[in-house]
Amino acid sequence: MPVSRERFIAAMRLHAAAVTLVASSFKGHKAGLTATAVCSVSADPPQLLVCVHRSAEANAVIRASRCFSVNVLAAHQRRLADRFAGRLGHTGAARFAEGRWGSLVTGAPVLEEARAVFDCLLSTSLEAGTHTIFIGSVEAVRVNPALEPLVYHEGAYGLVAELPV
């Protein structure tokens, strides 16, 4: 018997993940979303993947531009995560009105205050269920490890805490 959608979602909520903003731009049109479905594919060459719902505006923009950024959020950026998740009513380019945005190598928008930024050229895309898996070759990174990470767990934002020894 296959696992139900509800049971799958309930189990995945137990998987703590970093909160990221995936962003892209094509011919001046910016699009982005909040994502936790992000992971490393390879360190040699550096590649990562993001999963984007096919109905998301960013999906079409990533396809057209063939580049995207992954911006790892810091603990103080919860509001930005909500903004890009659509919880505050913002869509499209209006999501970029908060935060300082620039670019690195590919031209994809990057968040200046992010804990880490991965600037990627699209190398492969695969359709899987309701999502597209975009695999990007990492062309540039920027890090700010002094910032505390923002995580998502059991439907809420949280922080990372070290366990006592």
Side-chain angles (χ1 to χ4, degrees):
M1 178 166 139
V3 174
S4 71
R5 178 182 187 278
E6 293 75 22
R7 184 111 170 106
F8 176 75
I9 290 171
M12 285 304 299
R13 287 176 64 125
L14 300 178
H15 173 72
V19 180
T20 70
L21 302 181
V22 176
S24 190
S25 178
F26 184 67
K27 294 186 178 181
H29 179 74
K30 293 180 184 176
L33 65 141
T34 301
T36 55
V38 174
C39 73
S40 167
V41 173
S42 169
D44 188 17
Q47 294 180 321
L48 57 73
L49 70 77
V50 298
C51 298
V52 178
H53 198 285
R54 283 190 295 222
S55 68
E57 179 183 18
N59 192 303
V61 176
I62 292 169
R63 286 180 185 283
S65 69
R66 307 217 31 93
C67 66
F68 60 91
S69 68
V70 175
N71 304 270
V72 180
L73 295 185
H76 70 279
Q77 295 171 317
R78 290 174 55 166
R79 181 174 164 79
L80 200 53
D82 283 340
R83 183 181 192 94
F84 274 74
R87 292 185 185 131
L88 304 179
H90 303 287
T91 60
R95 292 181 175 178
F96 295 86
E98 187 174 323
R100 289 185 308 119
W101 293 88
S103 62
L104 293 176
V105 175
T106 70
V110 298
L111 181 63
E112 299 289 335
E113 310 91 5
R115 187 162 196 266
V117 172
F118 300 88
D119 189 19
C120 303
L121 283 176
L122 181 61
S123 61
T124 305
S125 63
L126 309 160
E127 302 302 316
T130 56
H131 285 64
T132 302
I133 301 166
F134 293 111
I135 298 176
S137 297
V138 180
E139 301 297 312
V141 297
R142 181 173 36 212
V143 297
N144 189 350
L147 297 174
E148 292 294 321
L150 180 63
V151 299
Y152 194 71
H153 180 248
E154 293 194 37
Y157 297 118
L159 303 173
V160 173
E162 289 189 32
L163 295 174
V165 179

